[in-house]
Amino acid sequence: MTLTSALTDKLSEKRIVVAGGFIGGKWNTVSSRGKVFRVANPATGEVLAQISDLSTHATREAIDAAHAAQPGWAALSAKARADKLKALHRLMVENANDLARLLTLEQGKPFAEAKGEILYGAAYIEWFAEEARRVYGDTIPGHQADKRIMVIKQPVGVVGLITPWNFPNAMLARKLAPALAVGCTVVAKPAAETPLSALAIARLMEWAGFPPGVFNVVPGTDAAAIGQELCANPKVAKISFTGSTNVGKILMRQCADGVKRMSMELGGNAPFIVFEDADLDAAVEGAMVSKFRNAGQTCVCANRIYVHADLYDAFAEKLAAKMEKLRLGNGLEKDVTTGPLINEKAIEKVEALLADASEHGARISAIGDRPEGALFYPTTLVTGATGDMRIAREEIFGPVAPLFRFETTEEVIALANATEFGLAAYFYARDISKVYKVAEALEYGIIGINTGIISTEVAPFGGVKQSGFGREGSKYGIEDYLDIKYLCLSV
Ligand code: ADP
């Protein structure tokens, strides 16, 4: 129930985060069982905060608060809701440096990246504040002479948002913004590794004057219990989840009984293809940003880098040269480009994948220094990667770049699609006819063509296959929080 000086010393506005849940407009700093959990800095191991460890009971209270607040919130004009979101957007931008430091402290990513995430998250708030006023319905010519048909769109109701630790601000911002814009109310469950960014958003919403109960946060380590309550409670109309495919499947099963609506942004296994006519330097640059952002811990990270045989050696050499310039370290230190991994389990997973790749004949080269601190993993190049390695099938979630060799377009499209995932794919090519054909053939929800960065609030983010369903951002993202109702009037 406290924040430590390892955290507050780094903040200029120390009131920006409170060490407890936010339920019905009140800060719950003592849980029913009085339990607390620690949040630590993955770069140093220092404890940043002890937070009330909430579970089923608090989740139910938060759902009740959201349910009570929902009709009043939905009854406001779209402009009134948009104005609150704009106020939140302004506060996020004004406090971006503190929010970014908080994010670096709890998550580990370098400060510049953290600040980018805060502004990216804020951009979703602004976008959906603008979209709030454009939830148009429809009129349809009646099927009989006396019939008039109208289509209206209404908020689904209370939504449960479950978010991961890799983008603790932006993943929440891009769910809460469309939800609140259309008149839904929210119960958010942040990851236990990184609850502070979500609590800071709640604080800013309190300052922005959102009515009590419209936005609630339930931090806790018993994710299964909180998730179970969100999925089973009939007052919750919808779950939006970003996280692993396995947990997504558990949530889908739990939501089946209530036929609860869902949006799912799950795992990825992004192919990054460099064709023979690619601009080699641009492809290397794109691979660097796609692979190493957030130390390789993003669901759209290049996971399998396929390079045409003609360019393979040159690409490997240029990529290694760029990787040498990366600097691992504490994200609050100047010039650090790559932070630690989130926890010991993440390190073990990367080590296991590399051991398997090595057993199957890959060449593993750790590049650059590995600073003190157990959670740093050296940026690593893997050459000679092949499809029979685990690294080809599983999300690496670490700063490891495996290079696969290919010969023909047909071959690489088949390889790229040979996965149950379908979130993001990237390719570099200049032949315009090939660009269209490959983009259409790749079974992914997002395709980066001659670019390694695809995330923006103006475009629909989401996957196909076992990477999930639903879209976040853009005009499409708002539909996930709306029900369609049709009125049939006899005149
Ligand atoms: P990751 O592997 O990236 O940590 P997870 O899917 O485990 O992904 O976590 C994403 C979010 O899902 C986090 O907020 C986590 O606490 C939550 N979570 C994990 N297990 C469950 C569960 N059984 N029910 C509900 N939420 C869960």
Side-chain angles (χ1 to χ4, degrees), residues 204-242:
L204 297 183
M205 292 179 78
E206 189 185 18
W207 292 347
F210 280 80
V214 165
F215 183 72
N216 306 273
V217 185
V218 182
T221 52
D222 195 349
I226 299 171
Q228 165 68 29
E229 183 61 28
L230 287 172
C231 292
N233 193 312
K235 289 182 180 167
V236 177
K238 177 188 170 104
I239 299 290
S240 177
F241 172 71
T242 298

Side-chain angles (χ1 to χ4, degrees), residues 437-459:
K437 285 183 185 155
V438 173
E440 286 164 7
L442 289 170
E443 296 164 354
Y444 289 83
I446 305 167
I447 313 281
I449 307 164
N450 297 330
T451 178
I453 299 200
I454 39 71
S455 297
T456 161
E457 77 281 7
V458 307

Side-chain angles (χ1 to χ4, degrees), residues 162-165 189-193 220 223-228 241-245 247-248 250-251 254 345 397:
I162 302 178
T163 50
W165 49 263
K189 191 214 88 63
E193 293 86 348
I226 299 171
Q228 165 68 29
F241 172 71
T242 298
S244 61
T245 297
V247 172
I250 294 172
L251 299 177
Q254 290 175 346
K345 219 175 88 199
F397 252 58

